[in-house]
Amino acid sequence: MALLYGLLWRFMLVLVHVNRALVSWLRGRVRSWKGRLWGRAMDALLLPVALAGFLHHQKKLNHNPDANAKPVYGNRSASRRLRWLSDGRSLEKLPIHIGLLVAEEEPSYTDIANLVVWCMAVGISYVSVYDYHGMFQKNSTRLLKEIIRQQQDMMGVEEPKYSVEFLSNGNDKPQHNVVSCRPTLKLLSPEDGKHSIVKAAQKLCRSVEKKEKSSKDISVSMLDTLLRESKNVPDPELVLKFGPVDSMLGFLPWHIRLTEFISLPSQRNVSYEDLLGALQQYSACEQRLGQ
């Protein structure tokens, strides 16, 4: 009997040791599983941070003038140019001359510079910038620098490929800031429209005074011919007006008989999509030309 109790006691000790070993093994497995779960959770939390850091690094590379960054930046600029050119070609009709009429007190040189670059990128040959106070004309150098900067940033072009002309104090001779061919930017003020009409009328009066023409010869078509001679650009087919003022504010009164006007809320924060939408609206409109 004593022998039986001894064997039973030893068997229970073995079970206790086995139970302890099993519990210890299970605890190790649980810790390992929790460690892996915690590691995966931390990876999931840190992944956005790492991704943000990578994107920030790539952005810095794209803006770095180092040689390694130039191919990335160049490819992006080339893609933009192709897209804008494709958008222009996709339109049924594209204005040759577009006017940007700013009817707001404070001009935004950056936003207007963006519009000028986009207009030229889609294939518009002439762009006129007009405000009632002539601020863009008075600060033409500032606007020109902003246009060049935006052209370099958006298109990757090192040197401007257009000329800038503006009429100053009634002088009909264009003043060139950049020597090039086309496209062309004109900076206008109310004096340009008024002065050209006054000058044409004075020329007609002198011709009558010198008896080169009689007063009966003077007609609207003759005045129109003189006004065309003083302007070496075609009439604007489209004018984008920025601001809440419902007025043309003296924008080239003789040259807008057949011009389409499209109003946009503001020049500030204007986007390429806003410009493209206006060009699409112009392309879809039917001009009956007085019929």
Side-chain angles (χ1 to χ4, degrees):
M1 196 65 162
L3 181 60
L4 181 61
Y5 281 129
L7 292 175
L8 182 61
W9 175 252
R10 290 180 181 178
F11 178 71
M12 291 179 65
L13 288 176
V14 171
L15 288 178
V16 169
H17 285 295
V18 170
N19 181 60
R20 288 179 178 176
L22 182 60
V23 170
S24 178
W25 180 78
L26 287 175
R27 284 179 179 174
R29 296 292 295 177
V30 169
R31 285 176 185 156
S32 177
W33 177 76
K34 285 183 178 180
R36 287 198 299 269
L37 181 62
W38 177 254
R40 290 175 182 176
M42 290 300 295
D43 289 343
L45 290 174
L46 293 176
L47 179 59
V49 178
L51 183 59
F54 174 75
L55 293 177
H56 179 69
H57 179 67
Q58 287 296 107
K59 186 177 180 180
K60 288 177 64 178
L61 285 178
N62 290 343
H63 287 83
N64 189 358
D66 188 73
N68 294 331
K70 284 185 177 180
V72 177
Y73 185 80
N75 291 339
R76 182 177 299 176
S77 300
S79 177
R80 285 176 177 173
R81 291 198 300 269
L82 289 175
R83 177 203 168 187
W84 294 333
L85 188 60
S86 175
D87 288 340
R89 290 176 176 175
S90 67
L91 298 174
E92 185 174 343
K93 60 179 179 179
L94 186 70
I96 298 174
H97 183 185
I98 187 172
L100 306 177
L101 194 165
V102 179
E104 295 177 282
E105 289 296 327
E106 293 294 331
S108 175
Y109 292 88
T110 299
D111 291 307
I112 293 300
N114 287 339
L115 285 167
V116 171
V117 173
W118 291 330
C119 287
M120 294 179 174
V122 298
I124 297 175
S125 299
Y126 299 93
V127 181
S128 293
V129 178
Y130 176 94
D131 70 290
Y132 185 72
H133 300 290
M135 295 301 296
F136 290 111
Q137 192 179 79
K138 294 174 185 175
N139 300 288
S140 58
T141 303
R142 178 179 175 182
L143 179 60
L144 176 61
K145 289 181 179 178
E146 190 64 31
I147 291 172
I148 294 174
R149 186 175 72 84
Q150 294 299 328
Q151 188 183 34
Q152 291 173 347
D153 289 345
M154 293 189 293
M155 302 178 66
V157 178
E158 295 297 331
E159 297 180 359
K161 303 298 182 182
Y162 51 85
S163 63
V164 177
E165 302 176 4
F166 60 95
L167 306 179
S168 178
N169 298 324
N171 180 16
D172 282 340
K173 293 183 179 180
Q175 302 178 16
H176 295 267
N177 291 70
V178 178
V179 179
S180 183
C181 298
R182 44 178 299 188
T184 300
L185 170 68
K186 280 190 171 291
L187 305 180
L188 304 173
S189 71
E191 291 301 318
D192 296 316
K194 293 178 183 178
H195 178 77
S196 56
I197 295 176
V198 170
K199 189 172 181 179
Q202 290 175 342
K203 187 173 183 179
L204 286 176
C205 291
R206 283 195 296 268
S207 63
V208 172
E209 184 181 6
K210 294 178 181 179
K211 296 183 180 181
E212 297 174 354
K213 291 183 175 64
S214 68
S215 58
K216 296 180 181 180
D217 295 331
I218 299 176
S219 62
V220 174
S221 60
M222 183 178 294
L223 180 61
D224 183 70
T225 301
L226 288 176
L227 288 170
R228 302 292 167 205
E229 291 176 355
S230 64
K231 303 293 181 185
N232 57 351
V233 297
D235 292 348
E237 296 96 337
L238 173 64
V239 170
L240 302 183
K241 184 182 73 66
F242 301 94
V245 180
D246 191 15
S247 171
M248 294 178 291
L249 299 176
F251 178 85
L252 297 181
W254 192 267
H255 301 79
I256 55 175
R257 294 171 299 165
L258 305 176
T259 301
E260 187 76 17
F261 280 79
I262 296 177
S263 296
L264 294 174
S266 175
Q267 63 182 315
R268 298 191 176 277
N269 300 319
V270 66
S271 66
Y272 172 73
E273 285 68 26
D274 294 329
L275 172 64
L276 181 60
L279 292 175
Q280 290 171 340
Q281 182 178 341
Y282 166 77
S283 178
C285 75
E286 182 181 357
Q287 293 177 302
R288 296 183 181 273
L289 304 179
Q291 299 179 359

